[in-house]
């Protein structure tokens, strides 16, 4: 069984991005800038935002974090986004989710200039992805990272049956639509399963490529997987574990031990899809810089 090592691939990718940032700096005198807005003090969001900022700096981009109080009004947030849309030093804008309940997340998504929407959440970007214009949109970072992994590991996808479990706007929907496109590392027949699907194992056991984005620890068990399948685990679930210092550990949506006896290749948790997400965010930010500067 092949372990698809997202940690290693993300390091390779970050080195490649760093070299590109340096060479574009030589040409233009400028570097890409990513601004992340965090509203409130959600601890998990704070960790994500800190990691994004750190990685951004590591590869030579300008990272700006705007911290706003939990009682920020929607209007104040939208005005801030508007200013960033008009700031030529900002190539990527990301508003960390979840947002406090007085703020409409969709209104925020719509307010971000699609040409700076490095999260790929704006309907214009998702629409362009659905239509296959991948060179003229931003792809949501987690599905984009999975595509990169499939490509770098030369996983055979053409004509294969890809089953995506999960239908979120951030992962499931863009993922399924990507796998449907006529590209390298895609070109699949695609099935989407979700919380109302009857008999999920009926579908998953037919998957050549199984992508689990459910949010339930160990949901995919060995009996649900076709022998030889490639299994991609998007889940990051905290489960209690008194044996660890923190009292918990992270596990995926796939029962790794059981499924590893059946699958031909798998992403581990941690160290699989997770590390790819930030790397793809930076790839999108570089892409935005290149488009804006016609590079
Ligand atoms: N919250 C958890 N993941 C993400 C992400 O990829 N983007 C944003 N904006 N918020 C998130």
């Amino acid at each position: 069984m092949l372990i698809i090592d997202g940690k290693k691939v993300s390091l390779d990718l970050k080195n490649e991005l760093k070299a590109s940032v340096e060479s574009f700096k030589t040409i233009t005198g400028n570097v890409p800038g990513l601004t992340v807005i965090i509203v409130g003090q959600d601890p998990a969001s704070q960790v994500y935002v800190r990691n994004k900022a750190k990685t951004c700096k590591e590869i030579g981009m300008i990272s700006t974090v705007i911290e706003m109080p939990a009682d920020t009004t929607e209007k104040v947030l939208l005005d801030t986004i508007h200013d960033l849309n008009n700031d030529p030093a900002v190539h990527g804008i990301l508003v960390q989710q979840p947002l406090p309940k007085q703020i409409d997340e969709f209104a925020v998504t719509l307010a971000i200039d699609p040409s700076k929407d490095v999260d790929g959440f704006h309907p214009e970007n998702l629409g362009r992805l659905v239509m296959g214009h991948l060179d003229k949109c931003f792809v949501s970072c987690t599905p984009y990272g999975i595509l990169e992994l499939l490509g770098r590991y030369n996983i055979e996808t053409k004509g294969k049956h890809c089953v995506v479990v999960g239908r979120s706007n951030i992962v499931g929907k863009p993922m399924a639509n990507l796998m449907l496109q006529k590209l390298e590392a895609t070109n699949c027949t695609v099935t989407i399963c979700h919380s109302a699907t009857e008999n999920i194992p009926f579908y998953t056991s037919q998957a050549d490529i199984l992508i689990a984005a459910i949010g339930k620890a160990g949901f995919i068990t060995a009996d649900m997987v076709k022998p030889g399948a490639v299994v991609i685990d998007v889940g990051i679930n905290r489960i209690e574990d008194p044996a660890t210092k923190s009292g918990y550990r992270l596990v995926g949506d796939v029962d790794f031990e059981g499924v590893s006896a059946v699958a031909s290749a798998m992403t581990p948790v941690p160290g699989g899809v997770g590390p790819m997400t930030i790397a793809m965010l930076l790839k999108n930010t570089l892409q935005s810089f290149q488009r804006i500067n016609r590079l």
Side-chain angles (χ1 to χ4, degrees), residues 8 20 24 85 91 99-100 121 145 156 164 173 175 206 213 223-224 230 233 241 248 250 272 278 284:
K8 180 185 178 298
S20 298
F24 289 138
N85 284 342
H91 304 92
L99 287 165
F121 292 176
E156 178 98 48
V164 178
K173 281 181 201 160
M175 188 77 243
Q206 296 176 50
D223 56 306
M224 296 166 72
V230 174
D233 191 348
D241 184 352
Y248 72 87
L250 295 179
I278 291 184
N284 277 345

Side-chain angles (χ1 to χ4, degrees), residues 19 23 42 49 52 95 99 106 140 155 158 187 212 223 267 272:
S23 75
D42 177 59
V49 168
K52 285 170 188 167
V95 180
L99 287 165
F106 191 51
S140 181
I155 304 288
K158 185 178 173 187
N187 220 353
D223 56 306
T267 59

Side-chain angles (χ1 to χ4, degrees), residues 45 48 52 94-98 119 121 140-142 170 277:
S45 292
Y48 288 136
K52 285 170 188 167
L94 181 149
V95 180
Q96 187 67 23
Q97 293 182 1
D119 252 334
F121 292 176
S140 181
C141 301
T142 301
I170 298 180
T277 303

Side-chain angles (χ1 to χ4, degrees), residues 86-132:
N86 293 317
D87 184 341
V90 175
H91 304 92
I93 304 168
L94 181 149
V95 180
Q96 187 67 23
Q97 293 182 1
L99 287 165
K101 58 184 179 314
Q102 76 276 13
I103 299 175
D104 176 1
E105 275 180 0
F106 191 51
V108 170
T109 299
L110 290 176
I112 297 171
D113 182 335
S115 70
K116 296 187 178 185
D117 168 39
V118 287
D119 252 334
F121 292 176
H122 193 286
E124 183 168 326
N125 282 315
L126 187 54
R128 287 175 181 233
L129 157 62
V130 171
M131 295 178 77

Side-chain angles (χ1 to χ4, degrees), residues 12-29:
D12 292 346
L13 187 57
K14 282 187 266 187
N15 285 329
E16 292 162 26
L17 292 171
K18 189 172 180 192
S20 298
V21 170
E22 274 166 20
S23 75
F24 289 138
K25 188 177 179 181
T26 311
I27 299 167
T28 65

